[in-house]
Amino acid sequence: MDETSRRGDLDALFRPRSIAVIGASSNPGKIGHEILRNIIEYGYGGEIYPVNPKHDSVLGLKCYPTVLDVPGDVDMGVVAIPAAYVPQVVDQLGAKGAKVAVVISSGFSEVGEVELEERLLRAAGKWGMRVLGPNIFGVAYTPGRLNATFGPRDVLPGSIAFITQSGALGIALMGWTITEGIGLSALVSVGNKSDVDDDDLLGWLSRDPETRVILIYMEGVKEGREFLEAASAASREKPIVVIKAGRSERGVKAASSHTGSLAGSDRVYDAVFRQSGVLRAYSVEQAFDWAMAFASGRVPRGDRTVIVTNGGGAGVLATDAAEMCGLRLIDPPPDLAAEFRRYMPPFGSAKNPVDLTGQASAREFEGAVAAALSHDSVDNVLVLYCETAVTDPEEIAAAVARAAGESDKPVAAMMMGGERSVRAMRLLRSRGVPAYPTPERTAESLCALVRYRELRDRGSAGV
Ligand code: COA
């Protein structure tokens, strides 16, 4: 199969016109039941066909004994039956004309059943059908209202595509993104990567207009050279953030027994990531922090940054973090400093960090942030808000979002405090402004934007 048709086939993975769920169970709590329920309740608009010889209907939909009995076309088959029966069902899916099989079932190469996985691949290959999995929790694509997973249902729409080699971690993070207010375009569990792997997904997602950043949790890649090429090409289009597990010696062993990955030498991975312009994050938190900043879609023109704060201490911590990761804190030129002074009491400071003081109101934050964003000497603005009893965090957040909305320059905001600040942070995120609970995370996320921009300018991203 040539590359173009291989890639083209992935349309059916993200935007299937119809889906058959093989192993659709009527028992709540069973995987085949929960996947079908998520597909229905998340609002998928195409035809849905439950397949199970035991039932006439499942969750209100007519059920078919085998996929061959389905009257209409089947684009995607989601397979949730015991491993031993999977190759036969995959063969039937191929015969039915399905373009992709999403194989949820475990019990293949990850437990030494290599021959069974090869049979599954042969069955699919005979029909030119692609296979996602096996040993996965499914796939979601929010622009197509598709949630074919047994994870949480209400995935928030957004522009981060998340590819995960770990199932349980992926499901957990899926729930976490919902509570954190982080929106996803796609979520793909790749499991054993028997066929569809990171390279294929990078190819498709880098061309997907709904995706602004691709985040990958990986334990290893099968073909280093192919990954390098795919990642180089994709990072030219959009940022790619990778968390690579298995950095320590014991971690490598753990990764190899988890997904059978060749976790390999960490130094080699480091070199591959660097060459291909991939940004390597060292924790899940950092990876999502950066991805959130990229999801805003704003590209910094440079590293010249102003910090606007209502707290001196937060300003100092952010200054340290910003300087250490490569942001340049400018001295505001006189006209800008005069503008800042309009939004602070006489005891405030118009130097950088710009200290509006603890009593700063929403109007003052809005004015100072807008002034910084509209000045030619500033590329990025870091906003720091420490919760006080005299101010309302959500009002401040709304004011910051308004100011940010008037500009295309990057803004990252910190909302630090209690419950009200957490709500304020979510409000900012929902309006496309990356928001964090600490000064360091805010500064470092802005740094990731600047670093990607520099990599791309130097030609390191994607060379
Ligand atoms: N065609 C259609 N339906 C079939 C079938 C076939 N060939 N063979 C079995 N079924 C039906 C069963 O009748 C059952 O329906 P019911 O609950 O209404 O009786 C349903 O499919 C499931 O089969 P069952 O034998 O009950 O298996 P299960 O639900 O206990 O387990 C898996 C199936 C796939 C969930 C299980 O084998 C598995 O692999 N679990 C691990 C999944 C996982 O963790 N993946 C990785 C996540 S990261």
Side-chain angles (χ1 to χ4, degrees), residues 108-179:
F108 293 88
S109 64
E110 83 283 2
V111 289
E113 294 288 345
V114 177
E115 159 62 12
L116 189 61
E117 194 162 302
E118 280 167 3
R119 272 176 52 210
L120 150 66
L121 283 176
R122 278 200 299 276
K126 194 168 105 190
W127 305 99
M129 185 172 61
R130 304 302 307 267
V131 175
L132 181 70
N135 188 28
I136 59 174
F137 66 84
V139 57
Y141 184 65
T142 59
R145 301 303 298 166
L146 173 71
N147 182 349
T149 74
F150 60 93
R153 185 191 56 194
D154 295 319
V155 187
L156 296 176
S159 54
I160 302 173
F162 177 37
I163 301 169
T164 174
Q165 197 171 358
S166 166
L169 183 74
I171 293 186
L173 288 172
M174 202 174 166
W176 176 81
T177 58
I178 297 169
T179 48

Side-chain angles (χ1 to χ4, degrees), residues 22-27 30-32 51-55 65 79-83 85 88-89 104-107 135-137 150 166-168 171 189:
I22 297 96
S25 167
S26 52
N27 300 329
K30 285 186 85 168
I31 287 180
V51 173
N52 188 327
K54 283 202 202 157
H55 309 294
V79 184
I81 59 172
Y85 308 108
Q88 188 201 359
V89 160
I104 304 292
S105 319
S106 302
N135 188 28
I136 59 174
F137 66 84
F150 60 93
S166 166
I171 293 186
S189 169

Side-chain angles (χ1 to χ4, degrees), residues 160-163 169 173 176-177 182 184 213-218 239-244 279-295 436 441 444-445 448 451:
I160 302 173
F162 177 37
I163 301 169
L169 183 74
L173 288 172
W176 176 81
T177 58
I182 299 171
L184 302 178
V213 49
I214 303 168
L215 196 165
I216 308 178
Y217 166 85
M218 67 160 63
I240 301 167
V241 179
V242 170
I243 332 167
K244 159 76 177 61
L279 297 166
R280 182 173 189 176
Y282 289 95
S283 69
V284 167
E285 179 182 89
Q286 193 175 55
F288 274 93
D289 280 356
W290 295 358
M292 216 190 321
F294 287 119
Y436 309 92
R441 285 172 62 184
E444 282 158 16
S445 302
R451 205 158 58 243

